Amino acid sequence: MSVKPQTVLVVGPTGNVGPHALAQLLEAGVAARALVPPGDPAVARIPTGTEVFEGDLADPESLVPALDGVTGVFLMWPFFTLDVSTAPAVLEVISRYTGRVVFVSSIGVHIGLEPVDNNCHAYLEQQIEKAGLTWTFLQTTGFACNALGWAGQLDGGDVVRFPYGGAVRTPVHEADLAAVGVRALTEDGHENRRYVVTGPEPLSQAEQLRIIGAAAGRELAWAEVAHDAARQAMVGAGWPPAYADGALEYFATLVEAPETRTDTVAEVLGRPARTFRDWAEEHADRFRRGAA
């Protein structure tokens, strides 16, 4: 791959995708920057060689030092923890320094499930277009690493209690998602494209659990949780009620019809997408007995 000299800022660098994006930028010879909220306890996840800046999306002007000299931004927005009303101002600040943004969006936008007025991914896509930026939207299915949400239950037994075990998803390896975004920022030809990014295979949630069990050498079982009980638990854990409702309604539809599957990862990267089994084997230690 021929890479232009670039400096890329990753916004959301300590989550599930950001560390992969930073590492891949560095491997590609791109100067990588990370925007870290003040006091972020996960800053240790940022790869060595990254230039780290402190800034807060709630204070758009605080991004200026991190943006000075950049040629692109890899953007992940923390919807659960930040009022999205600051987004237009953030995008205006970004547009002063670069015209190029890759935004991690959602499959919900692609299938029309997510309305613009819920102030989530569809809203951000709209605002990015309004800002006049050159964009690539990664409308992704669930991350494979979402399965780590079951690990706490498995520390205390061999059963996962969760709703809609029959929901068939196409989980994407978060490193593959990062790689598509990095490629979009470092090559021509990806401008103003909506990429639907999925994993390579449809798997029910219960099937994902069986794959994890095989990787960890355990016999694991799925115990179905009713919709209303699951909603109560999700809201109690900090999910905004509208997000919990949307997620559960979506899972219910996936029991009847599998989640969208594409070959975007292979087409953009020129290699097969990583499978959920690949992910499970990489993280098997977290699911072995006594891992906690």
Side-chain angles (χ1 to χ4, degrees):
M1 177 176 66
S2 176
V3 179
K4 302 174 184 178
Q6 287 196 12
T7 299
V8 171
L9 175 66
V10 176
V11 178
T14 62
N16 295 316
V17 179
H20 291 287
L22 289 166
Q24 292 167 17
L25 287 164
L26 292 167
E27 289 168 8
V30 176
R33 294 182 180 179
L35 183 76
V36 179
D40 187 344
V43 69
R45 301 190 67 192
I46 294 175
T48 301
T50 303
E51 192 176 5
V52 179
F53 290 80
E54 201 169 83
D56 188 346
L57 293 173
D59 176 12
E61 292 297 329
S62 72
L63 277 63
V64 168
L67 286 165
D68 189 18
V70 304
T71 53
V73 173
F74 195 126
L75 175 63
M76 287 153 284
W77 191 275
F79 293 103
F80 277 22
T81 58
L82 182 68
D83 185 345
V84 80
S85 65
T86 63
V90 168
L91 295 171
E92 190 279 324
V93 173
I94 289 173
S95 70
R96 294 183 215 160
Y97 295 90
T98 179
R100 189 77 181 93
V101 171
V102 165
F103 171 55
V104 177
S105 186
S106 167
I107 190 68
V109 183
H110 172 70
I111 64 176
L113 182 67
E114 184 184 304
V116 171
D117 62 6
N118 77 342
N119 292 334
C120 199
H121 299 94
Y123 171 77
L124 256 294
E125 287 193 15
Q126 180 189 76
Q127 294 303 311
I128 289 167
E129 291 185 89
K130 282 184 176 180
L133 295 160
T134 300
W135 48 264
T136 305
F137 298 148
L138 309 182
Q139 296 175 332
T140 182
T141 52
F143 304 160
C145 65
N146 289 347
L148 288 170
W150 302 331
Q153 293 189 49
L154 294 173
D155 290 338
D158 295 328
V159 179
V160 163
R161 294 171 175 82
F162 203 71
Y164 298 112
V168 177
R169 306 212 65 183
T170 50
V172 62
H173 195 300
E174 50 275 16
D176 280 348
L177 177 63
V180 172
V182 167
R183 189 67 64 93
L185 282 167
T186 57
E187 283 187 347
D188 293 330
H190 306 284
E191 297 85 358
N192 297 343
R193 299 282 300 275
R194 286 179 167 84
Y195 284 134
V196 180
V197 186
T198 81
E201 57 191 340
L203 295 166
S204 72
Q205 296 196 102
E207 287 170 334
Q208 292 175 44
L209 182 64
R210 284 194 287 274
I211 290 170
I212 290 169
R218 298 176 65 179
E219 290 286 337
L220 304 178
W222 185 277
E224 193 68 22
V225 173
H227 180 111
D228 290 347
R231 182 187 187 279
Q232 183 176 358
M234 292 164 75
V235 172
W239 283 59
Y243 286 28
D245 289 337
L248 290 169
E249 289 165 12
Y250 182 49
F251 287 168
T253 68
L254 298 181
V255 175
E256 304 299 327
E259 192 168 50
T260 299
R261 194 201 75 82
T262 71
D263 292 317
T264 299
V265 171
E267 291 166 357
V268 172
L269 302 182
R271 62 157 175 81
R274 295 173 175 93
T275 66
F276 187 80
R277 188 175 302 278
D278 292 332
W279 180 91
E281 290 173 352
E282 291 168 15
H283 294 82
D285 285 350
R286 180 60 188 89
F287 293 98
R288 292 195 172 101
R289 293 185 184 279

